[in-house]
Amino acid sequence: WRQQHGEEEALGLNDMKNIVLYNSIDELRQKLAHLRNNPQLAEQIAQQGQAWVEQQYSFEALGRKVVEAISAPLRQQTPLSLWQRLFG
């Protein structure tokens, strides 16, 4: 189902390239009929969709994202005053 706000394209999803999007049941039926008549296109979309998922959500890709998130510099802590250090 197409979101209508450009989210798919912003994520790198392209209709009939690596995903099949539709706005209505009639449009879905038309696209499915087209893909049934063009199995090579269906296979190409499936392969490109799988490649996109593996690129975004593989163990390696998720690990990189985790490392990036936890390696961000921590905010600087303000030094404690003498009073805070003594009486805490």
Side-chain angles (χ1 to χ4, degrees), residues 8-75:
E8 299 90 359
E9 290 81 9
L11 291 170
L13 297 170
N14 297 299
D15 189 28
M16 300 303 283
K17 301 284 185 216
N18 58 7
I19 194 169
V20 177
L21 299 170
Y22 57 94
N23 292 313
S24 67
I25 298 299
D26 287 335
E27 183 181 7
L28 174 61
R29 287 182 183 130
Q30 290 172 1
K31 287 185 175 184
L32 289 175
H34 179 69
L35 293 171
R36 280 190 206 105
N37 292 327
N38 297 284
Q40 289 177 328
L41 176 59
E43 181 63 27
Q44 182 181 359
I45 293 169
Q47 288 176 356
Q48 289 183 12
Q50 181 176 351
W52 181 86
V53 169
E54 289 172 353
Q55 180 185 29
Q56 298 296 316
Y57 298 105
S58 69
F59 185 75
E60 181 183 347
L62 292 175
R64 266 195 314 274
K65 290 176 184 180
V66 168
V67 168
E68 289 172 10
I70 64 175
S71 66
L74 299 174
R75 61 182 166 92

